């Protein structure tokens, strides 16, 4: 018994209905199969905090959490995410889980144009949820897939390092 | 750029995936992690009419011991190569290579089977299947078969996979107490494709090397075993002279392609340097 319907082949780029839980809310939208998740989030759901940069998986501006893991929203099609839980920078901000990271980025001016910042924060959030006290080398290694064209990374690494220290001194998750 | 329009089908079983491919003919393409395929589609290097998503096929998941092998399901993600205890214990070379595969977010989605199927000559895992003498399990319209890694990589992005065939798992011989391994690569920036990279697995009696398999990547059209170099190392321990002999032998095994960025002589030099370092470590206990 196959679920494949040959008429699918005549329907290329017809839209299909997908459902996901985005930032804790159930949403449904119509997407063309070739529409990437980042385009769907930005265009259909108007969640423009997720940035489309290189669209090749190299720059990290489009990072979101998919079922709790950081992934490139440019490297998957929205239709592949059907049924998944997606948390974007907007959701992570609303929930307050990265408030200390955001405050430290702000305090240390760990951004200039800010284009890369959402991806940096998603990545930093994942790193700090996996490694309690990363070294600066660990932080740089984790950020190797995130391009910042303005700041040269030093302040970004400082900010993440400072949050890691503060969290471990306060006994874990803030 | 955006991918050309295609239809999408999410397969729940291997049979469904194979059936969909058979019905769609040449225009179909399987997608798993998609971390190499999606950019290829965006650049329109590939333009299938139908994308068959195999990510939800549970038969392709899981890592388990089977006979003398570790069976690594094709959908095992790169991040699981780091976190799965069975990999660390029975395929430590793969565990050592995993942190060098792209960046964390790519590793969260990219799959082991997908990397092997893609056969990028600059990728870590295809080359490691050669060093490990792994076998690739393939399923297709005419049934299932197992292909030795030595016979799997044919040419640039070309493998023994026929149209409509899928990798179901990779079988890696279990790591043994008398074996040693090493992995390393030289790259301009962590996570970038290596200028040259290498993995090796040796079977030893004390300090004497009884058998060794050495596989390089980023040095040619396919992952490359260096059999002449391996031969210089078998039957003796790893002293300075022996390592120098192996480094010299590398020239007969590798013919790096010409490129604007890295001339062949430089790549060969880097390969020699890397080999020397790794054999030094292997001699010191791996």
């Amino acid at each position: 018994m196959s679920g494949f319907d040959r008429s699918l082949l005549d329907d290329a780029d017809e839209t299909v209905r997908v459902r996901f839980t985005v930032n804790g809310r159930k949403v449904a939208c119509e997407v063309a199969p070739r529409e990437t998740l980042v385009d769907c989030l930005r265009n259909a759901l108007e969640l423009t905090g997720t940035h489309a940069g290189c669209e090749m998986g190299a720059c990290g501006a489009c990072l979101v959490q998919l079922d709790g893991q950081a992934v490139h929203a440019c490297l998957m099609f929205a239709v592949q995410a059907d049924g998944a839980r997606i948390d974007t920078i907007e959701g992570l901000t609303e929930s307050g889980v990265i408030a200390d990271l955001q405050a430290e980025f702000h305090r240390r001016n760990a951004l200039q144009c800010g284009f890369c910042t959402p991806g940096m924060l998603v990545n930093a959030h994942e790193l700090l949820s996996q490694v309690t006290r990363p070294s600066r080398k660990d932080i740089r290694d984790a950020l190797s897939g995130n391009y910042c064209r303005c700041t040269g990374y030093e302040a970004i690494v400082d900010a993440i390092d400072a949050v890691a220290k503060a969290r471990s001194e306060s006994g874990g998750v803030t | 750029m955006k991918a050309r329009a295609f239809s999408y089908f999410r397969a729940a079983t291997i049979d469904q995936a194979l059936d969909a491919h058979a019905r769609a003919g040449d225009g179909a393409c399987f997608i798993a992690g998609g971390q190499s395929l999606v950019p290829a589609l965006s650049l329109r290097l590939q333009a299938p009419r139908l994308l068959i998503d195999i990510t939800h096929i549970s038969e392709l998941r899981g890592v388990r011991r089977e006979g003398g092998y570790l069976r690594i399901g094709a959908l095992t993600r790169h991040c699981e190569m780091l976190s799965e205890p069975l990999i660390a214990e029975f395929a430590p070379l793969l565990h050592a290579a995993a942190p060098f595969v792209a960046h964390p977010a790519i590793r969260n989605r990219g799959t082991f089977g997908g990397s092997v199927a893609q056969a990028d000559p600059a990728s870590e895992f295809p080359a490691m299947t050669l060093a490990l003498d792994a076998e690739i399990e393939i399923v297709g319209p005419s049934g299932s078969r197992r292909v030795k890694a030595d016979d799997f990589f044919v040419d640039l992005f070309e493998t023994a996979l026929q149209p409509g065939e899928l990798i179901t798992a990779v079988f890696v011989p279990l790591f043994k107490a008398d074996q040693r391994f090493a992995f390393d690569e030289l790259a301009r920036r962590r996570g970038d494709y290596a200028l040259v990279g290498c993995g090796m697995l040796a079977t030893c009696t004390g300090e004497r090397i009884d058998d060794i398999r050495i596989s390089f990547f980023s040095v040619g059209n396919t992952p490359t075993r260096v059999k002449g170099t391996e031969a210089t190392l078998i039957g003796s321990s790893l002293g300075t002279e022996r390592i120098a002999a192996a480094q010299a032998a590398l020239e007969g095994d590798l013919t790096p392609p010409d490129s604007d960025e890295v001339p062949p002589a430089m790549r060969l030099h880097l390969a020699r340097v890397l080999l020397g370092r790794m054999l030094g470590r292997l001699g010191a206990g791996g």
Side-chain angles (χ1 to χ4, degrees), chain B:
Chain B
M1 293 244 319
K2 304 292 179 189
R4 207 177 73 181
F6 54 80
S7 295
Y8 172 86
F9 174 65
R10 183 184 281 195
T13 63
I14 291 173
D15 285 346
Q16 276 189 3
L18 296 180
D19 177 60
H21 200 292
R23 293 204 215 182
D26 286 348
C29 184
F30 295 116
I31 187 166
Q35 303 299 281
S36 299
L37 181 60
V38 174
L41 296 177
S42 296
L43 290 167
R44 302 200 179 191
L45 296 171
Q46 284 175 266
R49 282 199 303 157
L50 174 70
L51 212 56
I52 302 165
D53 191 346
I54 59 170
T55 317
H56 298 270
I57 301 178
S58 56
E59 301 154 87
L60 301 177
R61 296 204 170 278
V63 178
R64 61 173 186 268
R65 284 177 69 166
E66 210 174 288
Y69 292 87
L70 193 64
R71 183 190 191 278
I72 304 173
L75 290 179
T76 304
R77 299 199 188 275
H78 301 330
C79 59
E80 293 174 86
M81 306 303 277
L82 280 166
S83 63
E84 168 59 57
L86 288 172
I87 302 272
E89 186 176 355
F90 295 114
L93 181 59
L94 296 176
H95 184 259
F100 292 85
V101 179
H103 314 293
I106 301 269
R107 296 200 290 267
N108 283 342
R109 253 194 99 66
T111 66
F112 184 60
S115 174
V116 174
Q118 175 79 5
D120 188 322
S123 283
E124 288 81 1
F125 287 143
M128 294 312 101
T129 64
L130 275 182
L132 289 164
D133 199 14
E135 292 177 25
I136 291 110
E137 185 186 64
I138 296 168
V139 67
S142 49
S144 179
R145 64 196 169 107
R146 268 162 80 158
V147 178
K148 286 255 185 199
D150 280 321
D151 302 319
F152 185 76
F153 302 102
V154 177
D155 206 340
L156 189 64
F157 297 113
E158 192 186 331
T159 67
L161 279 172
Q162 298 298 311
E165 286 188 326
L166 273 179
I167 293 179
T168 41
V170 176
F171 285 78
V172 177
L174 297 176
F175 186 68
K176 296 171 196 67
D178 60 354
Q179 289 186 316
R180 297 178 184 183
F181 69 94
F183 177 92
D184 208 351
E185 67 178 46
L186 299 171
R188 289 207 166 91
R189 184 186 65 139
R190 180 60 169 258
D192 282 353
Y193 282 118
L195 297 168
V196 57
C198 180
M200 56 181 68
L201 182 73
T203 307
C204 309
T205 304
E207 292 304 305
R208 193 187 72 223
I209 291 185
D210 297 325
D211 188 34
I212 188 165
R213 293 174 67 97
I214 305 174
S215 176
F216 277 87
F217 53 98
S218 283
V219 290
N221 281 351
T222 60
T224 310
R225 250 187 89 191
V226 288
K227 293 184 186 174
T229 307
E230 291 170 2
T232 65
L233 294 164
I234 291 171
S236 60
S237 58
L238 283 172
T240 314
E241 277 178 32
R242 184 63 60 172
I243 292 176
Q247 285 175 301
L250 210 51
E251 191 164 9
D253 283 329
L254 295 180
T255 44
D258 203 1
S259 79
D260 293 341
E261 237 184 315
V262 189
M266 176 178 161
R267 213 182 283 271
L268 188 60
H269 171 73
L270 293 175
R272 279 197 211 100
V273 170
L274 193 65
L275 182 73
R277 279 185 198 169
M278 292 171 66
L279 288 174
R281 291 211 305 263
L282 204 69

